[in-house]
Amino acid sequence: MAPMSSAGEEMYALVERLYPLCRSITGDGVRATLDIVGEHIPLQVHEVPTGTQVLDWTVPQEWNIRDAYIADATGRRVVDFAASSLHVLGYSVPVSATMPLSELRGHLHTLPDQPALVPYRTSYYKPEWGFCLAQETLDALPEGDYEVRVDSTLADGHLTYAEHVVPGQVTDEVIVSCHVCHPSLANDNLAGVAVAVHLARALAEQNPYYTYRFIFAPGTVGAITWLARNAERVDRVKHGLVLACAGDSGNLTYKRSRRGDAEIDRVLEHVLRSSERPHQVKEFTPYGYDERQYCSPGFDLGVGSLSRTPYAGYPEYHTSADDLDFVSPEAMEDTLAVCREAFAVLDRNRRYVNLSPYGEPQLGRRGLYDSLGGRSDAKQAQMAMLWVLSLSDGEHSLLDVAERAGLPFGTVAVAADALRDAELIKV
């Protein structure tokens, strides 16, 4: 029997399978991506017609592409969409022409400071066509005529996004959001998609307290579309996390919600700090990924963002170097572990009321001290009980207790369970 693969290896295999697909904010590439994700977790797929008003935006026309290339006088393709979906400017309108290199240059995008890399560029809302290529490829092209072809369509269609729901004990929701619009970029954001898939599967095995809603949508307009279509029920969303750039070798980075002190902010910071992982915590800015949509002032949801190296923070960002070699099973597994730890805290965090608040209740009479016998952390567990009793005033959460007492959250949660079973505290 072959050995079981690790979660990291399974996530990497999913990234590897999704990597060649040409994705954009609409189109068959998004559908194909969601079809593959749907093999791992059940999805409810939504199709929103072109022209639909979504908050201050309008769902754009749908873009699909079959082929694109630049060929020299011999017919050799010097730039070929079939080799990489990055080679075409995203949302390029169709073109079929022959033109001199001098004219073609105005439609070519390169990275002169990174001459071996192909950039990722788009033109979603301005009709244009173009190609992306390495500067060194452009430098090697002789003057002369070139055949240029983009076999694409830009027509009325749909914007596609999908949801996966893990039912909880309550209908209050935690949303987990990741974007599915980038073409062949492994870290940004296929790694986030893979981590979200495995996080959903892990939560489904745990009978969680909250209902967890996973959103797989194109960046910006996709999240705006989801908000527009869920505006009347968005008050159910109590916490949220945007996953992005989840697979590179950098340290973990948490970006706070717009509120700055949302429960998700405190939970992620507590988990990262107590795990002793190297990490950084950044303040909210209205730029980045879709946390800025969920945190926009009209909604003001408690949604933060977890990544490894942040967007635009690594040289490979939005280039052909963000490939399968740039991400690793180990990094994705570490990101997944932090998400699982954070949601375990979030799911268990409660405010309790002490039912025997006048003086310290007699724990020994209730067998609570006896339950600690033989435990290597008996003193710590005893202190956790005393701290929970002390701070169970309906105002302090278990996370408050853990942080004030300097104790692991898990130890505090176990103490709370014991005290609740002894009918000394209640929610």
Side-chain angles (χ1 to χ4, degrees), residues 234-286:
V234 80
D235 59 338
R236 292 188 190 179
V237 177
K238 304 306 179 184
H239 319 283
L241 189 64
V242 170
L243 282 174
C245 301
D248 66 87
S249 62
N251 296 332
L252 282 157
T253 299
Y254 179 70
K255 177 182 173 182
R256 292 187 177 110
S257 69
R258 175 179 173 270
R259 298 179 191 173
D261 61 352
E263 189 171 342
I264 192 72
D265 301 330
R266 296 188 58 219
V267 167
L268 260 297
E269 291 173 48
H270 173 81
V271 166
L272 288 169
R273 183 173 60 250
S274 61
S275 74
E276 299 185 350
R277 286 176 172 89
H279 69 277
Q280 62 174 330
V281 175
K282 301 182 70 174
E283 295 295 338
F284 176 82
T285 61

Side-chain angles (χ1 to χ4, degrees), residues 40-273:
H40 296 264
I41 53 175
L43 293 180
Q44 181 180 9
V45 178
H46 304 269
E47 297 276 5
V48 185
T50 295
T52 302
Q53 189 71 27
V54 285
L55 306 181
D56 195 47
W57 293 56
T58 304
V59 172
Q61 289 189 309
E62 181 177 324
W63 182 69
N64 286 293
I65 184 166
R66 287 159 291 279
D67 194 15
Y69 60 86
I70 301 172
D72 64 16
T74 69
R76 179 178 68 93
R77 294 189 177 192
V78 296
V79 178
D80 192 355
F81 168 76
S84 171
S85 57
L86 294 180
H87 276 310
V88 172
L89 178 75
Y91 254 62
S92 279
V93 298
V95 62
S96 182
T98 299
M99 63 186 67
L101 181 60
S102 57
E103 181 181 346
L104 179 58
R105 284 182 186 275
H107 297 274
L108 302 182
H109 304 268
T110 65
L111 294 168
D113 294 337
Q114 296 173 289
L117 302 183
V118 178
Y120 165 52
R121 297 287 185 269
T122 62
S123 184
Y124 296 141
Y125 302 106
K126 178 184 177 183
E128 181 60 272
W129 64 267
F131 289 85
C132 299
L133 65 160
Q135 180 67 44
E136 60 187 26
T137 300
L138 176 58
D139 292 343
L141 295 181
E143 296 296 329
D145 288 343
Y146 288 85
E147 180 189 359
V148 179
R149 179 162 173 76
V150 176
D151 181 11
S152 65
T153 54
L154 190 59
D156 287 354
H158 297 82
L159 179 147
T160 309
Y161 72 91
E163 296 174 286
H164 169 79
V165 176
V166 180
Q169 299 169 35
V170 298
T171 57
D172 288 346
E173 291 187 0
V174 180
I175 59 171
V176 180
S177 180
C178 52
H179 58 275
V180 292
C181 53
H182 286 15
S184 297
L185 299 173
N187 198 42
D188 181 19
N189 188 38
L190 294 179
V193 171
V195 170
V197 166
H198 281 259
L199 179 60
R201 288 168 56 176
L203 287 166
E205 298 174 355
Q206 296 170 7
N207 185 30
Y209 177 74
Y210 288 110
T211 292
Y212 287 83
R213 183 176 300 274
F214 288 78
I215 303 167
F216 300 89
T220 306
V221 68
I224 286 171
T225 298
W226 185 88
L227 285 164
R229 288 164 59 89
N230 291 275
E232 293 182 357
R233 56 180 302 282
V234 80
D235 59 338
R236 292 188 190 179
V237 177
K238 304 306 179 184
H239 319 283
L241 189 64
V242 170
L243 282 174
C245 301
D248 66 87
S249 62
N251 296 332
L252 282 157
T253 299
Y254 179 70
K255 177 182 173 182
R256 292 187 177 110
S257 69
R258 175 179 173 270
R259 298 179 191 173
D261 61 352
E263 189 171 342
I264 192 72
D265 301 330
R266 296 188 58 219
V267 167
L268 260 297
E269 291 173 48
H270 173 81
V271 166
L272 288 169
R273 183 173 60 250

Side-chain angles (χ1 to χ4, degrees), residues 310-326:
Y311 61 88
Y314 50 96
E316 298 84 358
Y317 179 76
H318 278 194
T319 77
S320 54
D322 185 353
D323 58 15
L324 294 171
D325 291 332
F326 186 62

